[in-house]
């Protein structure tokens, strides 16, 4: 019962955060509109404020309703995938300690690999709330499969945010299609996953970078074709 209550509270916190983000965007748009409708002094009248506030509430409610529909769809998709594709493999995964590579392509086929990848690169760009819900549903069946998906998203999100145009065009479509599976090499023998204490360095060399350091315990490393290496 405590576990179910904690899960419910955690989901409510995630949803509240996402709704707040939507409301903030709507709030900015509201005052952009008011700027075009203000009186000669340049300040909106009380009637304009009241009218705009009412429309903002309606628009925000519609946005939240749409968001919930998307999240519920992602949740059902991830849950069905976990029960149908992952569950039959769990016993073998526990016995061998190996992650079945065929799950990568199957996750791509139902859209799980591209949840945080921009649409122009083959993803759905549904965002991190959708990603969190998907990982949660899969982890109910297999924590190993859930963490593998999480780390894949870490790599694709980093590439989408900080990769060059050439890197995005080269790697992101393959991350979304399952041709490539992502990993993010952060953990080191001397400092764990403490980014501030990281010792690995990257120095410009020959049109690229020369890496110097060590990594360990890197999830998906045995399946990754284009690893993202964290260095300083």
């Amino acid at each position: 019962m405590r576990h179910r209550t904690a899960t419910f509270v955690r989901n409510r916190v995630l949803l509240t955060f996402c709704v707040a983000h939507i409301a903030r965007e709507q709030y900015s748009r509201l005052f952009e509109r008011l700027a075009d409708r203000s009186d000669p002094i340049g300040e909106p009248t009380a009637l304009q404020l009241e009218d705009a506030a009412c429309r903002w509430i309606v628009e925000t409610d519609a946005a939240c309703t749409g968001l919930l529909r998307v999240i519920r769809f992602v949740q059902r998709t991830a849950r069905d995938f976990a029960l149908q594709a992952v569950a039959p493999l769990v016993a073998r995964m526990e016995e061998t300690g190996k992650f079945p590579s065929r799950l990568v392509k199957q996750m791509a086929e139902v859209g799980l690999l591209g949840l945080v990848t921009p649409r122009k690169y083959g993803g759905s760009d549904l965002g991190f709330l959708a990603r969190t819900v998907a990982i949660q549903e899969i982890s109910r069946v297999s924590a190993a499969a859930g963490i593998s998906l999480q780390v894949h998203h870490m790599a694709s999100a980093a590439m989408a945010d900080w990769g060059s145009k050439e890197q995005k065009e080269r790697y992101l479509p393959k991350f979304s299609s399952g041709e490539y599976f992502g990993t993010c090499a952060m953990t080191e023998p001397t400092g764990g996953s403490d980014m501030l204490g990281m010792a690995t360095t990257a120095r410009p060399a020959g049109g690229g970078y020369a890496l110097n350091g060590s990594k360990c315990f890197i999830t998906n490393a045995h399946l990754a074709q284009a690893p993202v290496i964290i260095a300083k």
Side-chain angles (χ1 to χ4, degrees):
M1 184 66 180
R2 289 182 179 178
H3 173 72
R4 294 183 62 185
T5 301
T7 300
F8 174 76
V9 171
R10 183 166 62 251
N11 289 346
R12 286 293 299 272
V13 170
L14 289 169
L15 180 59
T16 301
F17 175 81
C18 196
V19 169
H21 176 71
I22 292 174
R24 186 164 57 249
E25 291 184 351
Q26 295 282 350
Y27 192 74
S28 299
R29 288 167 51 196
L30 181 154
F31 279 96
E32 287 177 1
R33 290 197 301 268
L34 286 179
D36 297 330
R37 300 181 54 200
S38 57
D39 60 25
I41 301 177
E43 294 293 333
T45 65
L47 184 61
Q48 287 176 326
L49 281 172
E50 181 180 355
D51 176 62
C54 290
R55 285 186 287 110
W56 173 74
I57 292 172
V58 171
E59 290 177 6
T60 302
D61 183 63
C64 292
T65 300
L67 170 68
L68 286 174
R69 288 174 180 168
V70 170
I71 296 304
R72 285 170 180 163
F73 175 79
V74 172
Q75 185 178 40
R76 287 195 301 268
T77 300
R79 182 180 300 162
D80 291 345
F81 176 81
L83 294 174
Q84 297 171 17
V86 180
L89 304 176
V90 171
R92 183 63 176 168
M93 290 167 63
E94 294 295 326
E95 180 182 343
T96 63
K98 295 181 179 180
F99 183 84
S101 59
R102 66 176 181 270
L103 278 181
V104 175
K105 200 67 177 179
Q106 291 174 330
M107 285 192 285
E109 290 172 354
V110 296
L112 295 175
L113 295 190
L115 287 174
V116 295
T117 301
R119 295 180 183 179
K120 65 185 292 186
Y121 299 116
S124 58
D125 201 17
L126 293 181
F128 284 88
L129 179 58
R131 172 207 186 217
T132 302
V133 169
I135 291 171
Q136 181 185 47
E137 290 299 324
I138 291 176
S139 297
R140 292 179 191 276
V141 173
S142 169
I147 196 68
S148 289
L149 180 60
Q150 176 188 357
V151 173
H152 168 81
H153 288 154
M154 289 171 63
S156 58
M159 186 72 70
D161 286 343
W162 298 300
S164 66
K165 183 175 183 295
E166 179 184 0
Q167 288 172 329
K168 292 176 184 179
E169 293 175 348
R170 180 178 179 183
Y171 296 114
L172 287 180
K174 294 181 179 180
F175 279 158
S176 298
S177 69
E179 183 177 349
Y180 283 2
F181 200 41
T183 188
C184 195
M186 181 185 305
T187 305
E188 298 185 351
T190 56
S193 299
D194 176 17
M195 295 188 68
L196 294 179
M198 188 174 300
T200 300
T201 59
R203 298 290 181 263
Y209 287 88
L211 288 169
N212 186 15
S214 300
K215 300 291 181 178
C216 63
F217 308 130
I218 306 303
T219 303
N220 297 346
H222 62 302
L223 298 172
Q225 297 85 352
V228 173
I229 311 296
I230 308 299
K232 63 180 182 181

